[in-house]
Amino acid sequence: MAGLALPWAQMGIDRSRTLVVAVPTDPGSLDPAHNTAELVGSEIILNLFDTLVAWAAPHFDRLEGRLAQSWTVSDDARSFRFKLRPGIFFHDGEPVDAQAVKVSLERAGRLNPYMRASFEPIAAIETRQPDIVTLRLSRPVPFFLSLLAQPQAAVVSPTAVARLGDRFADAPVGSGAFRFVRKERDVCVVLEANPRYFRGPPRLEHVIYSVNANPSTRRFQLENGDIDVSQQAGQLGALPMQDMDAFRRNPTIQVIEAPSQILRQLEFNNSRASSPTHDLRVRKALSYAVDYDGLVHGLLADSVDRAYGPLPTANWAFDPAIARAAFRYEPERARALLRQAGFEPGALKLDIYTFLGAFWGTVATFLQANFAAVGVKANIRQVEFPSLRGLHLAGQFDVALDGRTPWYNDPDAHITIGYLSSLASTAMTFRMPPDAALDRLILDAQDQTDAALRKELYGRVQQQLMARVPAVYLFTNRVIVFARAEVRGLRIGPAPPLTEYWSVYKRAQQADA
Amino acid sequence: MSRYLLRRLVGLIPVLALVLVIVFCLTRFIPGDPAVTLLGPGATAEQIAALRRQMHLDQPQGVQFLSYVWNLLHGDLGVSLKTGRPVLDELASKLPATIELALAALLIALAIGIPAGVAAARRRGGVLDQVLRVAALACVSVPAFLIAFALQGLFGSWLRFLPVAGRLSPYFIFKPITGFAVLDALLHGDVAALSDAIRHLLLPATVLGLFIAANLSRFVRSAMIQQLDEDYVRTARAKGLDERQVVYGHALPNALIPVLSVIAILFGDMLGGAILTETIFSWPGVGRYTLDAIRNRDYPVVQSATLIFAAMFMLVSLAIDVIGQRLDPRLKAPVA
């Protein structure tokens, strides 16, 4: 067995400077070039590696330089020139230079299924000077900097990649605030502080990701102090209201909430002409039938925020006019619209497809009751994700309770993949029917380089989508982190919802920090 | 005995082959696609097709099956679709955790089940017998996850006496020697780690062991009642032998012979129970690994883990049969 000759010894870890973070699943690949944007692996990558730019805490509404000291973007958004910070080294002692950036981005574009399409416009990466990188694109991509802020675009040590080959994910080498120590599958990932980190050494000595799939067990562990943080990924697929109530009454635990861009909606199969929801009046009726306040404030106990339209309110392109024009709970109007569409009470029957799990089941049951109140009989069909995706791609559904987690911070991540009709059956989209005018507007908004004009275009996209009612927009999950009271400095990004632990410390450390 | 052993071992091969065929077919019948699961909701059809090609899932299923069998015959269990690591290595790293848990559970089951069965048999129809009957019924009928949560709440959260998850506290970081945490701690004389490992083992082993103990106690009770009614017991008592000697020296050894075969069957139940217990207690064993693999449609892992479970069950059954024959020569198959 591996490690037979090695002694078993405690590493002398100081608990007061160690943060134990409970995560619900084993991380996916810790190699940025193989990471598929799942939350646990992405967050570890964010702590092990650096990107050229990153969203700046605490508001995450502007980009700041990380490996890049400064950058310029050409007017046509086709050329990005980065000046790298001097004196930054990878954990293996090799310098971070322009060549390392080139190798990393080319590698991600070649190997990462998520980055392949995103980096396809990169025509050339120029590295004429060791501290200058210029990316030239074949077409304008206004949100390209957002892509470069993603964990999948992190800069890796080319020396380590060459040395380790396929095993790079087992011993990842970056330049981030923490260094990789070890990983035991389904048990833990251990990181230690990088004392040479360019922003200054982290205040924690170790971060230990402890894998625990069971929410009840994580709660016991947090109450006992066995773990310090129950990471956000653990709360996204569950209903944490009971935990929130209990933790809010517990002075040893803090509940940290942050807005996210995760959308939950009841989406219609907008391409299925035979569906009863093909009739706009039916889609509107179902939208009026939902008791949004009851859902957000009652059922989900304010652990979520109302979603009004295709963009969450935390997105910079969200148009406030959409919130004013959004559907409200008006069951009488819903009944009238159904009658107009030819559906007397009890005549309309629908299957609501959704994922497995209590969270989805509870929300679906609430919607089922809302629809029953206006005379619509809904059956709930909970299926595993691969099955739901199969049904979705084949268009074999009328309505599906579904969700979207954008993997980069831009309206494009919601709109293009969701609503462009040419992509209707390529992924879990809203399956929009052919609509040349809407498609053109979406692509114009995607390519527009002027930020103000781009926001205006996305405003028009939102208004047009609202008129088409492609879904009943329900709520956006708040990112919820449970932490011991002594944990300080947690800052959680909204899209994707990840945490950097560089700034985190425990209160006992405050005096000597 | 060696011919008998050889015959039984050879007999395992067609059973394992049948298990392999069934599991291969079942994994392909489950709706869903590993590439879809791995890439998540945002993936496009093109990305999924590329990953399917990379994982050879685009090949005909017959080819996939023959390729798997061919590799298996060469000692290669394949590569996990999720991690890209050899399944053999991953199973080898997780098997000690499951065996450790199963052995601890078995110890607890024997320590509770046999004395409880004997006590109930000796006080047949009495209050203790009734109490033990109700307790056994409760342990069998209450779902294991409820017992697990109750014990976690009591010992973990309220009394704060035992940890509720994992094999070791997260800040005990070490390189494994045998993979058995308790054994490794003993080998190194690390008292703190030994205590930590045992404390982590107690709750999951109790949950897993209680179900076995409950069943075992009922079988022991029946077997003991039968033995205590035998003439040789009456004779022993008539000779004035001490009651403890009669019960534990004469009746119990005879009662345990049929119980042995029951233990083999219960061991199979325990392997099934390990999946749930390991998940609730975040125990990094083969059970949890298999469940994750089923969720991820990680075909090579599901196939290989099932084969390992089947092989373990059959080998334990064989071992218990052999032990039973050693203890009671009447159980030997007649020689042709």
Side-chain angles (χ1 to χ4, degrees):
Chain A
M1 182 178 284
L4 191 67
L6 294 170
W8 174 12
Q10 276 178 250
M11 292 178 55
I13 285 181
D14 179 354
R15 187 70 181 87
S16 69
R17 288 179 181 271
T18 299
L19 194 78
V20 182
V21 182
V23 289
T25 60
D26 206 42
S29 179
L30 299 184
D31 179 349
H34 289 284
N35 180 275
T36 54
E38 49 79 34
L39 291 181
V40 179
S42 296
E43 183 175 288
I44 296 175
I45 286 174
L46 212 57
N47 286 283
L48 285 173
F49 297 87
D50 275 312
T51 45
L52 283 170
V53 292
W55 291 98
H59 301 299
F60 300 93
D61 55 354
R62 65 177 181 84
L63 287 160
E64 65 179 11
R66 285 293 169 86
L67 293 178
Q69 192 171 45
S70 60
W71 68 91
T72 54
V73 183
S74 66
D75 288 343
D76 62 357
R78 291 174 61 170
S79 175
F80 295 75
R81 184 177 185 275
F82 298 92
K83 176 162 175 39
L84 302 182
R85 287 179 200 279
I88 300 184
F89 293 89
F90 289 111
H91 303 148
D92 60 3
E94 296 293 324
V96 176
D97 57 14
Q99 189 58 29
V101 175
K102 179 179 162 73
V103 166
S104 302
L105 298 185
E106 286 178 345
R107 190 168 171 268
R110 194 173 63 252
L111 300 175
N112 194 309
Y114 272 77
M115 300 307 281
R116 199 171 295 146
S118 305
F119 279 1
E120 182 267 329
I122 298 179
I125 301 177
E126 294 168 5
T127 57
R128 294 203 179 97
Q129 293 168 265
D131 61 341
I132 303 286
V133 186
T134 306
L135 305 181
R136 297 200 186 282
L137 309 187
S138 57
R139 58 181 168 84
V141 182
F143 53 91
F144 197 72
L145 285 172
S146 292
L147 295 173
L148 292 178
Q150 289 307 111
Q152 295 75 22
V155 177
V156 302
S157 162
T159 316
V161 168
R163 181 166 49 85
L164 295 165
D166 290 344
R167 292 184 300 110
F168 182 76
D170 296 336
V173 180
S175 59
F178 292 90
R179 297 188 295 214
F180 177 83
V181 176
R182 65 185 288 266
K183 173 177 186 274
E184 192 177 339
R185 189 160 140 63
D186 288 332
V187 177
C188 63
V189 177
V190 182
L191 315 181
E192 67 179 2
N194 171 12
R196 298 175 72 186
Y197 188 50
F198 79 91
R199 290 196 282 172
R203 298 169 80 171
L204 293 166
E205 284 180 1
H206 289 91
V207 174
I208 299 175
Y209 283 88
S210 175
V211 182
N212 185 342
N214 193 302
S216 308
T217 313
R218 286 198 299 271
R219 176 174 162 179
F220 287 137
Q221 286 185 299
L222 190 64
E223 287 170 342
N224 289 358
D226 292 339
I227 60 171
D228 300 305
V229 174
S230 180
Q231 195 232 25
Q232 54 275 12
Q235 276 71 256
L236 290 178
L239 286 167
M241 288 91 68
Q242 284 182 329
D243 286 348
M244 285 176 80
D245 286 346
F247 289 153
R248 279 188 177 130
R249 289 194 302 270
N250 186 338
T252 66
I253 291 168
Q254 52 181 322
V255 178
I256 301 164
E257 296 177 67
S260 85
Q261 296 198 26
I262 300 166
L263 266 181
R264 305 292 185 218
Q265 71 277 330
L266 187 79
E267 60 196 29
F268 302 117
N269 183 349
N270 294 287
S271 292
R272 196 179 209 184
S274 61
S275 169
T277 61
H278 189 65
D279 188 327
L280 180 65
R281 289 169 297 188
V282 173
R283 300 204 297 275
K284 282 185 172 176
L286 294 176
S287 300
Y288 281 122
V290 175
D291 177 4
Y292 299 96
D293 287 343
L295 178 65
V296 170
H297 306 303
L299 183 76
L300 299 174
D302 289 312
S303 64
V304 299
D305 295 306
R306 167 84 199 267
Y308 299 100
L311 285 181
T313 51
N315 189 285
W316 61 263
F318 174 73
D319 179 359
I322 298 295
R324 291 190 291 275
F327 289 96
R328 309 278 174 216
Y329 178 43
E330 295 181 46
E332 274 310 320
R333 208 164 165 181
R335 287 187 201 102
L337 280 163
L338 285 169
R339 269 195 300 274
Q340 283 173 29
F343 291 105
E344 289 304 316
L348 178 57
K349 295 182 175 63
L350 290 171
D351 285 333
I352 301 178
Y353 282 94
T354 191
F355 301 107
L356 291 181
F359 175 82
W360 298 100
T362 305
V363 175
T365 306
F366 184 87
L367 296 176
Q368 184 186 43
N370 280 181
F371 294 155
V374 297
V376 176
K377 185 172 168 43
N379 292 316
I380 298 169
R381 298 191 182 278
Q382 287 188 269
V383 294
E384 283 189 294
F385 163 63
S387 308
L388 185 56
R389 175 171 171 116
L391 290 167
H392 213 294
L393 255 62
Q396 294 170 349
F397 73 103
D398 292 319
V399 285
L401 176 60
D402 194 358
R404 273 162 215 283
T405 306
W407 67 282
Y408 57 97
N409 189 0
D410 193 86
D412 177 72
H414 291 275
I415 299 293
T416 309
I417 186 74
Y419 301 97
L420 198 68
S421 67
S422 60
L423 299 177
S425 54
T426 62
M428 289 184 76
T429 72
F430 289 82
R431 299 186 63 81
M432 296 301 281
D435 189 334
L438 180 62
D439 283 359
R440 195 163 48 249
L441 186 60
I442 290 172
L443 293 174
D444 284 350
Q446 185 189 44
D447 292 346
Q448 180 52 247
T449 55
D450 181 277
L453 202 52
R454 195 161 179 249
K455 186 170 181 178
E456 189 189 318
L457 285 171
Y458 274 119
R460 284 170 52 198
V461 169
Q462 289 170 78
Q463 284 161 14
Q464 293 213 12
L465 285 173
M466 289 300 281
R468 287 164 173 78
V469 197
V472 183
Y473 298 101
L474 298 171
F475 55 87
T476 57
N477 278 62
R478 232 172 270 159
V479 180
I480 298 165
V481 171
F482 302 131
R484 297 287 299 174
E486 59 270 26
V487 176
R488 290 286 185 268
L490 276 170
R491 291 165 175 177
I492 306 142
L498 306 173
T499 306
E500 290 185 72
Y501 292 108
W502 172 71
S503 61
V504 174
Y505 61 96
K506 289 186 172 177
R507 195 164 42 195
Q509 286 178 251
Q510 215 166 13
D512 53 31
Chain B
M1 178 59 80
S2 56
R3 281 184 60 195
Y4 169 76
L5 257 180
L6 191 64
R7 201 171 68 237
R8 287 286 303 267
L9 284 170
V10 169
L12 296 184
I13 294 171
V15 180
L16 286 174
L18 190 64
V19 168
L20 183 63
V21 172
I22 292 170
V23 174
F24 186 90
C25 295
L26 281 180
T27 51
R28 267 60 179 185
F29 280 137
I30 305 171
D33 185 321
V36 167
T37 312
L38 288 176
L39 289 177
T44 64
E46 190 188 10
Q47 291 166 345
I48 289 167
L51 189 60
R52 282 179 60 79
R53 273 195 301 280
Q54 192 182 320
M55 296 191 297
H56 306 296
L57 294 171
D58 57 335
Q59 293 179 349
Q61 296 197 348
V63 174
Q64 288 181 44
F65 180 72
L66 290 176
S67 165
Y68 179 70
V69 172
W70 177 255
N71 291 334
L72 195 63
L73 292 173
H74 290 80
D76 179 4
L77 297 184
V79 170
S80 162
L81 299 180
K82 184 182 177 193
T83 65
R85 292 164 151 276
V87 175
L88 188 62
D89 290 356
E90 296 208 331
L91 282 174
S93 70
K94 290 179 185 311
L95 207 51
T98 298
I99 293 174
E100 189 170 52
L101 179 61
L103 286 177
L106 197 60
L107 268 180
I108 288 172
L110 293 174
I112 296 173
I114 293 176
V118 172
R122 289 180 67 187
R123 291 162 183 79
R124 197 184 328 177
V127 176
L128 184 63
D129 187 22
Q130 296 300 329
V131 168
L132 289 171
R133 186 176 61 81
V134 172
L137 195 66
C139 286
V140 172
S141 38
V142 175
F145 68 87
L146 277 184
I147 296 176
F149 290 146
L151 291 178
Q152 282 180 325
L154 178 64
F155 292 102
S157 190
W158 192 46
L159 298 174
R160 302 200 172 190
F161 175 61
L162 292 172
V164 294
R167 284 179 88 193
L168 276 173
S169 295
Y171 36 89
F172 275 106
I173 297 170
F174 61 91
K175 293 280 183 188
I177 295 174
T178 64
F180 295 90
V182 173
L183 186 60
D184 285 351
L186 272 174
L187 287 173
H188 287 278
D190 190 330
V191 178
L194 177 66
S195 157
D196 194 62
I198 291 174
R199 288 174 65 244
H200 275 84
L201 193 53
L202 274 176
L203 286 184
T206 303
V207 170
L208 198 53
L210 273 180
F211 175 80
I212 312 295
N215 280 298
L216 196 60
S217 71
R218 305 316 291 165
F219 283 114
V220 171
R221 178 185 177 276
S222 301
M224 276 298 288
I225 286 173
Q226 203 180 342
Q227 293 300 322
L228 290 173
D229 287 343
E230 291 284 336
D231 288 344
Y232 74 91
V233 171
R234 210 171 297 123
T235 308
R237 282 179 177 145
K239 282 169 65 182
L241 274 183
D242 176 50
E243 183 63 15
R244 289 179 57 164
Q245 206 178 345
V246 171
V247 171
Y248 296 107
H250 292 276
L252 183 59
N254 286 316
L256 285 181
I257 292 169
V259 169
L260 269 179
S261 56
V262 173
I263 290 175
I265 295 165
L266 292 176
F267 182 77
D269 290 343
M270 198 155 67
L271 291 178
I275 292 180
L276 183 70
T277 312
E278 288 182 1
T279 303
I280 293 173
F281 289 96
S282 279
W283 192 263
V286 181
R288 193 174 129 205
Y289 179 56
T290 309
L291 185 66
D292 283 346
I294 294 169
R295 283 182 183 144
N296 292 318
R297 307 291 189 271
D298 198 339
Y299 299 147
V301 173
V302 178
Q303 287 158 196
S304 303
T306 313
L307 264 190
I308 297 279
F309 272 129
M312 277 170 66
F313 177 67
M314 286 187 275
L315 287 174
V316 167
S317 298
L318 176 59
I320 284 177
D321 283 354
V322 170
I323 293 168
Q325 286 186 17
R326 287 271 174 188
L327 294 176
D328 186 354
R330 289 172 302 173
L331 295 175
K332 277 186 184 167
V335 179

